[in-house]
């Protein structure tokens, strides 16, 4: 694992902190190891920003769009890369999850 990978993992965890669905989904992606290294996934669904209160750099994933893209077959994956069902079982984070965090 590279320093860049470790930094991304910390940023994703920071954004998901306190949100059970988001944390579970992020941990699943981190444990899987492949998705966060795929340029087509990172370029389309991964966003970074700075928290206004803490000035901490965080990263987030556009979960709804990622799942829709997978459903439509626009993000092909091999059997070993298939995490869609696992993500859905974890209750893919949504806007309601984010509102509870405020």
């Amino acid at each position: 694992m590279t320093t860049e990978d470790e930094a991304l993992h910390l940023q994703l965890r920071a954004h998901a902190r306190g949100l059970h669905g988001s944390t579970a989904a992020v941990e699943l992606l981190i444990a899987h190891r492949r998705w966060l290294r795929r340029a087509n996934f990172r370029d389309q669904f991964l966003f970074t920003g700075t928290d206004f209160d803490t000035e901490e750099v965080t990263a987030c994933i556009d979960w709804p769009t990622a799942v829709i893209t997978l459903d439509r077959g626009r993000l092909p994956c091999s059997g070993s890369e298939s995490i869609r069902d696992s993500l859905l079982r974890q209750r893919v984070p949504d806007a309601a999850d984010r509102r509870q965090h405020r």
Side-chain angles (χ1 to χ4, degrees):
M1 185 177 334
T2 68
T3 303
E4 183 180 314
D5 290 337
E6 291 173 359
L8 176 59
H9 297 172
L10 290 173
Q11 293 167 355
L12 286 166
R13 287 177 173 131
H15 188 265
R17 190 178 301 126
L19 305 172
H20 300 297
S22 293
T23 299
V26 162
E27 291 301 333
L28 182 64
L29 283 182
I30 290 170
H32 193 272
R33 295 189 179 150
R34 289 190 180 145
W35 282 100
L36 294 176
R37 291 186 174 165
R38 287 181 57 162
N40 62 346
F41 184 82
R42 289 175 71 143
D43 293 347
Q44 293 180 65
F45 310 112
L46 186 65
F47 303 93
T48 59
T50 304
D51 184 284
F52 291 112
D53 295 328
T54 65
E55 297 186 15
E56 181 178 26
V57 176
T58 63
C60 66
I61 296 168
D62 181 355
W63 296 108
T65 304
V67 170
I68 289 168
T69 303
L70 280 167
D71 283 345
R72 292 182 178 166
R74 294 189 182 144
L75 190 60
C77 60
S78 67
S80 67
E81 290 180 320
S82 182
I83 59 169
R84 181 189 168 281
D85 293 335
S86 296
L87 285 175
L88 293 176
R89 278 195 296 276
Q90 294 294 335
R91 190 178 77 61
V92 172
D94 58 15
D97 206 11
R98 179 60 46 203
R99 283 193 299 273
Q100 290 174 359
H101 189 56
R102 291 181 190 190

